[in-house]
Short mmCIF file of all heavy atoms in Angstrom, two decimals:
data_model
loop_
_atom_site.label_atom_id
_atom_site.label_comp_id
_atom_site.label_asym_id
_atom_site.label_seq_id
_atom_site.Cartn_x
_atom_site.Cartn_y
_atom_site.Cartn_z
N GLU A 86 -98.27 58.44 -0.25
CA GLU A 86 -99.35 57.62 -0.80
C GLU A 86 -99.69 58.13 -2.24
O GLU A 86 -99.76 57.29 -3.04
CB GLU A 86 -100.59 57.66 0.11
CG GLU A 86 -101.69 56.86 -0.45
CD GLU A 86 -102.86 56.73 0.41
OE1 GLU A 86 -103.05 57.65 1.39
OE2 GLU A 86 -103.78 55.83 0.23
N ASP A 106 -98.70 60.04 4.62
CA ASP A 106 -100.22 59.67 4.27
C ASP A 106 -101.01 60.95 4.47
O ASP A 106 -101.26 61.26 5.63
CB ASP A 106 -100.64 58.56 4.89
CG ASP A 106 -102.05 58.15 4.38
OD1 ASP A 106 -102.66 58.86 3.56
OD2 ASP A 106 -102.64 57.06 4.90
N ILE A 108 -104.09 61.70 4.03
CA ILE A 108 -105.28 61.62 4.66
C ILE A 108 -105.47 60.17 4.96
O ILE A 108 -105.71 59.32 3.86
CB ILE A 108 -106.53 62.11 3.96
CG1 ILE A 108 -106.39 63.67 3.77
CG2 ILE A 108 -107.85 61.75 4.76
CD1 ILE A 108 -107.61 64.27 2.98
N ASP A 109 -105.23 59.61 5.99
CA ASP A 109 -105.45 58.17 6.28
C ASP A 109 -106.98 58.03 6.73
O ASP A 109 -107.28 58.63 7.62
CB ASP A 109 -104.51 57.61 7.39
CG ASP A 109 -104.66 56.15 7.59
OD1 ASP A 109 -104.62 55.39 6.57
OD2 ASP A 109 -104.84 55.85 8.67
N GLY A 110 -107.60 57.19 6.01
CA GLY A 110 -109.07 57.16 6.23
C GLY A 110 -109.86 58.04 5.13
O GLY A 110 -110.80 58.67 5.53
N THR A 111 -109.38 57.93 4.01
CA THR A 111 -109.94 58.67 2.86
C THR A 111 -111.49 58.37 2.71
O THR A 111 -112.20 59.30 2.52
CB THR A 111 -109.25 58.42 1.57
OG1 THR A 111 -107.81 58.68 1.80
CG2 THR A 111 -109.63 59.32 0.51
N ALA A 178 -109.89 45.15 10.20
CA ALA A 178 -110.04 46.08 9.02
C ALA A 178 -110.27 45.14 7.71
O ALA A 178 -109.76 43.99 7.67
CB ALA A 178 -108.74 46.75 8.83
N GLY A 180 -110.08 46.84 4.67
CA GLY A 180 -109.10 47.37 3.52
C GLY A 180 -109.90 47.53 2.23
O GLY A 180 -111.20 47.55 2.16
N TYR A 181 -109.10 47.67 1.08
CA TYR A 181 -109.73 47.88 -0.12
C TYR A 181 -109.82 46.66 -0.99
O TYR A 181 -110.55 46.71 -2.02
CB TYR A 181 -108.93 48.94 -0.84
CG TYR A 181 -109.06 50.36 -0.24
CD1 TYR A 181 -107.93 51.09 0.02
CD2 TYR A 181 -110.19 50.86 0.13
CE1 TYR A 181 -108.02 52.29 0.64
CE2 TYR A 181 -110.35 52.05 0.71
CZ TYR A 181 -109.18 52.76 1.13
OH TYR A 181 -109.18 54.01 1.64
N GLY A 209 -111.58 52.21 9.93
CA GLY A 209 -111.37 52.82 8.65
C GLY A 209 -110.15 53.58 8.56
O GLY A 209 -109.97 54.35 7.60
N SER A 210 -109.21 53.59 9.65
CA SER A 210 -108.03 54.33 9.44
C SER A 210 -106.98 53.39 10.34
O SER A 210 -107.14 53.19 11.50
CB SER A 210 -108.18 55.73 10.12
OG SER A 210 -106.82 56.27 10.35
N ALA A 211 -106.05 53.01 9.59
CA ALA A 211 -105.01 52.17 10.23
C ALA A 211 -104.25 52.95 11.27
O ALA A 211 -104.05 52.43 12.34
CB ALA A 211 -104.09 51.58 9.19
N GLU A 228 -104.11 44.00 10.70
CA GLU A 228 -104.64 44.44 9.36
C GLU A 228 -103.65 43.90 8.38
O GLU A 228 -102.27 43.72 8.52
CB GLU A 228 -104.36 45.99 9.23
CG GLU A 228 -104.32 46.50 7.83
CD GLU A 228 -105.59 47.45 7.56
OE1 GLU A 228 -105.92 48.29 8.26
OE2 GLU A 228 -106.09 47.19 6.43
N GLY A 230 -102.80 44.41 4.24
CA GLY A 230 -103.16 45.10 3.00
C GLY A 230 -102.83 46.71 3.28
O GLY A 230 -102.84 47.38 2.32
N ALA A 231 -102.60 47.16 4.38
CA ALA A 231 -102.22 48.56 4.65
C ALA A 231 -100.90 48.83 4.13
O ALA A 231 -100.05 47.82 4.02
CB ALA A 231 -102.41 48.97 6.14
N ASP A 235 -99.45 54.15 5.83
CA ASP A 235 -100.59 54.10 6.89
C ASP A 235 -100.27 53.78 8.20
O ASP A 235 -100.89 54.27 9.19
CB ASP A 235 -101.61 52.89 6.37
CG ASP A 235 -102.21 53.20 5.07
OD1 ASP A 235 -102.64 54.38 4.79
OD2 ASP A 235 -102.36 52.21 4.24
C1 IPD B 717 -106.54 52.97 4.56
C2 IPD B 717 -107.08 53.10 5.89
C3 IPD B 717 -107.87 51.74 6.09
C4 IPD B 717 -107.04 50.61 5.95
C5 IPD B 717 -106.48 50.67 4.59
C6 IPD B 717 -105.72 51.74 4.37
P1 IPD B 717 -106.26 55.34 3.24
O1 IPD B 717 -105.67 54.16 4.32
O2 IPD B 717 -106.07 53.16 6.82
O3 IPD B 717 -108.28 51.81 7.41
O4 IPD B 717 -108.02 49.36 6.15
O5 IPD B 717 -105.68 49.51 4.49
O6 IPD B 717 -105.15 51.83 3.03
O7 IPD B 717 -106.34 54.74 1.88
O8 IPD B 717 -107.54 55.74 3.79
O9 IPD B 717 -105.12 56.41 3.52
#
Side-chain angles (χ1 to χ4, degrees):
E86 180 177 15
D106 185 350
I108 301 177
D109 182 52
T111 306
Y181 294 131
S210 163
E228 165 117 48
D235 293 320

